[in-house]
Amino acid sequence: MGPSSDKDAVTNAKETIVSPSESLELDAAWTYLNEHRDTSAAADLETVDLSSLRTKIDWHIVPLMFLCYTLQFLDKVILNYAAVMGLPADLHLKGNQFSNIATFLFVGLLCFEVPNVYLLQRLPSAKWLGANVTLWGIATACGAAAHSYRTILVSRVFLGIFEATIGPSLMLISSQWYTKSEAAPRFSFWYLGLGVGQIVGGLVSYGFQNIVPSEGRLAGWRIMFVVLGVITVVVGLAVILVLPDTPMKARWLSEREKVALLRHVSVNQTGIENTKRGFRLKEVVEAVIDMQVWLLLLSVVLSSVSSGVVTTYSATLIRNLGYAPKKAALMNTPSGAVSIFFTLFVGYGIRKQSHRWAWIIACIIPAILGGALMSFLPTTNRSGILAGIYLVNAVVAPLPIFYNWTVSNIAGTTKRAFAAAIISGSFSLGNIIGPQTFRAKDAPEYRPAKIAVMATQAGCAVTTFALFLWYVWRNKTRDGAEKVRKGDGGEGAEVGEVGEKEAWSGLTDWENKKFRYVY
């Protein structure tokens, strides 16, 4: 059984006196704690109710992160709904051009992940996120002006570029405020935006399809692009103005609450903000040769092939069952309910029982079943195929757990930012592959694409279990080495304990021998 609480990572954080020279590369959180060590803010910390403090933090940051994720999904998925609202005919799309439009959004997203690693370390995380949300809102609205394949393609590429930061930014921001076990359900909460986006997207599409094009009036799908783009810009500006870059900069927390929170999350041993260390190429190399990074990458790619299919083609699959475009949009909304159910299911389960790997596989099984129903039932069995389309949406729930694993089990300022970008980029890679399995020559059944859903999910289950075994092996190896060292008369903290300096030193999970992986 893997660690299920913060105590499994570290028992306590001992206060350590650090010299000025040593403090140069320590985390900004340590600097803040050191400055407040002998002040009233550090006194009587036991009077701070951590449960109430978590609730206060939840209400201040989770809703904004939820809105960001909802809108990034909506701004992607409106292409899915625009497909049944006349966009292909209005832009004279032919052959695989619609699939290419869906794919190149993720090409832009993937290409910008690399510079995003550097910028996330140099710029305030919340401000950087807010600026990109604002810009992708503008890119979404500009899509309404598209008049050809090339112009819609350009707008979607820019949308992908600006959305590149959403995954890494939300991962890093979430990890600043919560311990590893607390963070898992919060990841699920803001990730609920995907399911909500599916429901809202279907309803919005249905509403805008009732707008009858006429002389001097924009088509319904164009108005939809403008409206959602403007809403996104408003949310982006709110993120810039309201969301703190770090807990130390939160105006709505008292000094004592900040100190209590930082002491509480020090068990993560992953830091808050460390701009003093700068970009370390050594940590990038370490990430590249780290087996867990490759297993996480492969798992997310395999999982995301199916999510790419769901995002881009679910409305089309439903329409091809013989439903009118308006009804197809409405009948896609239960997909969001399935996404929400499984996302809450795994978030709550992990908070209570840990076993991240088991909860992931528990979601993969119904997704495989859904893929089988879509692939092998006769087209006359519309109810069964619809059930399959809905069940495939269970596959979206593991993604926030893979994100949580990334920031919980990878330490080091540069290494963690690089890994977050790579794992987020692997999501884009899966979404590039997914739509390309839908070839025009396979219409209207698209059987090869449906079979790909099943195959990739089965592969994801295998790589997830391999990741679990790797974490167990690494923890046992470190525990054994620590016991041997103690048996030889070595000095230092007991197994599971860590000093304050080590907690905020910015060491990678390889360098910090007291670091333990959660699974």
Side-chain angles (χ1 to χ4, degrees):
M1 178 176 175
S4 59
S5 70
D6 314 316
K7 294 179 182 179
D8 297 307
V10 59
T11 304
N12 58 45
K14 296 183 175 181
E15 290 193 5
T16 307
I17 304 302
V18 182
S19 67
S21 60
E22 289 179 306
S23 70
L24 289 177
E25 290 193 348
L26 292 179
D27 196 271
W30 182 88
T31 303
Y32 184 89
L33 288 172
N34 198 44
E35 290 172 350
H36 292 79
R37 191 179 302 279
D38 299 320
T39 66
S40 59
D44 301 322
L45 291 179
E46 63 274 6
T47 62
V48 177
D49 185 342
L50 288 176
S51 179
S52 298
L53 181 58
R54 274 195 298 269
T55 302
K56 185 177 183 179
I57 293 168
D58 286 342
W59 282 109
H60 277 87
I61 71 169
V62 174
L64 277 174
M65 293 194 293
F66 166 80
L67 284 174
C68 287
Y69 209 80
T70 300
L71 289 168
Q72 70 85 27
F73 180 79
L74 265 177
D75 291 342
K76 277 200 206 72
V77 82
I78 54 174
L79 186 68
N80 178 12
Y81 296 112
V84 298
M85 294 172 67
L87 180 146
D90 290 348
L91 301 186
H92 311 291
L93 302 183
K94 301 175 183 177
N96 293 320
Q97 288 183 337
F98 182 79
S99 293
N100 293 339
I101 293 168
T103 296
F104 272 86
L105 180 149
F106 293 100
V107 171
L109 199 155
L110 183 62
C111 291
F112 204 68
E113 291 291 2
V114 176
N116 194 55
V117 176
Y118 179 81
L119 293 169
L120 271 175
Q121 292 186 82
R122 292 297 179 184
L123 300 172
S125 56
K127 302 295 184 294
W128 176 241
L129 172 63
N132 278 276
V133 173
T134 303
L135 290 171
W136 94 51
I138 294 172
T140 299
C142 287
H147 56 82
S148 66
Y149 168 64
R150 290 184 179 180
T151 51
I152 190 67
L153 189 66
V154 169
S155 74
R156 300 299 284 182
V157 168
F158 274 102
L159 177 62
I161 288 173
F162 298 132
E163 284 194 359
T165 194
I166 185 70
S169 292
L170 292 184
M171 280 189 260
L172 297 177
I173 291 171
S174 297
S175 66
Q176 293 176 350
W177 299 86
Y178 304 101
T179 62
K180 294 178 181 181
S181 62
E182 293 167 355
R186 272 74 183 187
F187 273 64
S188 293
F189 289 152
W190 57 252
Y191 192 76
L192 287 176
L194 188 149
V196 172
Q198 287 175 298
I199 295 173
V200 173
L203 297 175
V204 167
S205 172
Y206 178 80
F208 282 110
Q209 284 186 63
N210 285 295
I211 297 176
V212 180
S214 62
E215 189 70 28
R217 177 185 289 178
L218 293 175
W221 67 267
R222 294 184 189 273
I223 300 174
M224 181 173 68
F225 275 53
V226 172
V227 171
L228 289 178
V230 170
I231 293 173
T232 303
V233 169
V234 172
V235 171
L237 295 175
V239 170
I240 294 173
L241 296 173
V242 177
L243 191 65
D245 294 306
T246 66
M248 295 84 80
K249 296 177 181 178
R251 294 191 296 270
W252 37 268
L253 288 180
S254 68
E255 298 300 321
R256 179 170 295 175
E257 287 174 327
K258 292 176 184 178
V259 171
L261 175 64
L262 294 176
R263 292 267 184 92
H264 179 61
V265 300
S266 67
V267 299
N268 292 339
Q269 302 181 60
T270 52
I272 302 292
E273 180 184 59
N274 195 334
T275 57
K276 296 177 181 177
R277 288 177 76 89
F279 183 85
R280 300 179 73 202
L281 182 60
K282 172 187 174 184
E283 292 187 20
V284 173
V285 174
E286 183 178 309
V288 169
I289 62 175
D290 192 338
M291 178 61 71
Q292 71 165 322
V293 174
W294 285 100
L295 286 173
L296 282 166
L297 185 152
L298 187 55
S299 298
V300 173
V301 168
L302 291 170
S303 174
S304 301
V305 168
S306 298
S307 65
V309 169
V310 169
T311 300
T312 309
Y313 277 99
S314 56
T316 301
L317 289 173
I318 293 173
R319 186 187 63 181
N320 287 345
L321 292 175
Y323 295 103
K326 290 181 183 180
K327 192 167 185 179
L330 284 179
M331 294 189 71
N332 199 33
T333 56
S335 297
V338 173
S339 298
I340 290 171
F341 170 79
F342 280 98
T343 301
L344 289 174
F345 174 67
V346 297
Y348 179 81
I350 289 170
R351 178 62 173 157
K352 294 298 181 182
Q353 297 293 332
S354 190
H355 290 302
R356 288 163 171 80
W357 66 276
W359 292 105
I360 289 172
I361 293 175
C363 291
I364 289 174
I365 292 171
I368 293 175
L369 177 60
L373 291 174
M374 287 196 310
S375 301
F376 303 117
L377 284 179
T379 54
T380 54
N381 191 341
R382 297 201 299 180
S383 298
I385 295 174
L386 272 176
I389 293 171
Y390 297 150
L391 276 176
V392 167
N393 286 271
V395 75
V396 305
L399 187 61
I401 309 310
F402 287 124
Y403 282 172
N404 177 242
W405 249 344
T406 301
V407 294
S408 295
N409 285 343
I410 299 175
T413 307
T414 301
K415 182 180 181 182
R416 191 162 64 132
F418 179 78
I422 291 298
I423 301 307
S424 181
S426 64
F427 168 75
S428 303
L429 183 58
N431 277 271
I432 290 171
I433 297 170
Q436 291 302 311
T437 63
F438 276 79
R439 297 172 297 180
K441 67 177 185 178
D442 298 324
E445 293 188 13
Y446 299 106
R447 189 175 295 274
K450 296 173 182 176
I451 294 174
V453 170
M454 288 196 311
T456 53
Q457 287 314 299
C460 183
V462 172
T463 56
T464 297
F465 189 69
L467 192 59
F468 156 67
L469 295 177
W470 189 89
Y471 285 141
V472 171
W473 172 72
R474 289 287 287 174
N475 282 352
K476 286 186 176 180
T477 301
R478 290 192 171 186
D479 287 345
E482 186 75 7
K483 289 176 182 177
V484 169
R485 188 177 68 81
K486 292 296 292 182
D488 290 340
E491 297 180 358
E494 297 293 334
V495 176
E497 291 186 349
V498 69
E500 189 179 77
K501 175 187 171 184
E502 292 164 307
W504 300 114
S505 62
L507 295 175
T508 69
D509 51 290
W510 281 19
E511 295 167 336
N512 182 0
K513 301 306 178 184
K514 295 186 182 297
F515 190 93
R516 296 297 183 269
Y517 300 95
V518 295
Y519 49 80

